[in-house]
Amino acid sequence: MLKVGVLVSGGGTNLQAILDKKAAGYLPECEFVSVVASKPGVYALERAANFGIPGTVICKKDYASQDEYDKALVEHFTEKGVGLIVLAGFLTILGKTFMDAFEGRIINVHPALIPSFCGKGFYGLKPHEKALEYGVKVTGATVHFVELEADAGPIILQKAVYIKEDDTAETLQKRVMKEAEWEILPEAIKLFSEDKLKLEGRIVKISD
Ligand code: GRF
């Protein structure tokens, strides 16, 4: 059984999608052992509690440095025996200590088709605003392995979403979540748990 830890910062709809799939029997190889929030009071913690999953708050501002913060997270997830870290709307920067401890075992979902509309500052509505501003006809979501550089790690799955003429950043954000993020994040977790993801350089090969 793969023990999974999830990091969240907000509403937690991606967390909800994962836990709903787990409840429906879609992730038999996964056990969700901890949800860690970057600040207190986030709704994602309530969603975790509804599924009986322990929630913890670990705030960067309570630590003297990036390294101390990373160490606190590593210690927490190591104690829980976590083999996969899922960033599900997690907005705090993670440092080298954290990356090294869980190398190749951290995944993130980004609300655009990387390498478009990604990188530093591209969170919340911004990827959608920029996609509309640029006039692309297709956007979507990406699940990728996490490396130190934002949104730059090997791509695991992508799903496209067509843009409508009357889309606003808000309507687009909702559709990208519903049609893409909530589908491909659980799928990537499932593939990882079944040991079906193999890295060849920066290419992720998916086996049957
Ligand atoms: C999602 O759009 C995710 O791709 C991004 O942050 C948002 C989080 O939403 N990284 P939620 O907290 O899962 O509802």
Side-chain angles (χ1 to χ4, degrees):
M1 190 68 93
L2 175 70
K3 292 188 174 166
V4 183
V6 186
L7 282 162
V8 294
S9 295
T13 61
N14 277 288
L15 175 69
Q16 182 78 39
I18 298 164
L19 298 179
D20 284 343
K21 294 256 182 175
K22 170 70 189 164
Y26 178 72
L27 295 164
E29 304 296 327
C30 297
E31 186 191 350
F32 292 86
V33 294
S34 171
V35 172
V36 171
S38 56
K39 53 178 192 258
V42 305
Y43 191 60
L45 287 172
E46 231 167 280
R47 296 187 195 264
N50 290 340
F51 284 86
I53 297 163
T56 309
V57 178
I58 304 181
C59 294
K60 194 168 188 176
K61 65 171 175 48
D62 294 338
Y63 296 88
S65 64
Q66 176 76 54
D67 201 47
E68 292 300 313
Y69 170 66
D70 281 7
K71 280 183 185 150
L73 287 174
V74 171
E75 194 176 313
H76 174 84
F77 287 122
T78 306
E79 258 169 29
K80 300 263 182 185
V82 163
L84 174 68
I85 306 277
V86 177
L87 311 187
F90 184 64
L91 297 177
T92 306
I93 306 267
L94 295 164
K96 188 167 171 5
T97 299
F98 188 82
M99 299 296 167
D100 287 350
F102 292 102
E103 202 190 345
R105 293 183 292 151
I106 313 167
I107 66 173
N108 179 49
V109 62
H110 180 74
L113 295 174
I114 291 174
S116 289
F117 312 115
C118 65
K120 206 171 177 298
F122 276 82
Y123 61 87
L125 284 175
K126 180 137 175 222
H128 308 293
E129 283 164 0
K130 291 288 171 193
L132 291 175
E133 216 173 283
Y134 197 93
V136 293
K137 303 298 186 193
V138 184
T139 183
T142 303
V143 179
H144 62 94
F145 283 112
V146 174
E147 292 183 350
L148 264 182
E149 194 186 330
D151 299 328
I155 290 171
I156 302 168
L157 292 172
Q158 292 189 299
K159 190 162 180 223
V161 173
Y162 283 96
I163 289 174
K164 296 180 181 170
E165 294 247 312
D166 60 352
D167 262 330
T168 61
E170 287 80 7
T171 61
L172 188 56
Q173 180 186 45
K174 284 205 183 80
R175 236 177 34 263
V176 166
M177 282 181 159
K178 191 163 177 273
E179 291 177 16
E181 295 182 52
W182 302 345
E183 295 295 321
I184 62 174
L185 185 57
E187 193 182 342
I189 296 169
K190 185 176 168 72
L191 290 168
F192 187 96
S193 73
E194 293 170 346
D195 202 22
K196 288 186 174 163
L197 303 176
K198 292 281 170 285
L199 262 185
E200 289 180 16
R202 66 159 288 120
I203 309 299
V204 178
K205 298 275 185 191
I206 301 175
S207 52
D208 302 322

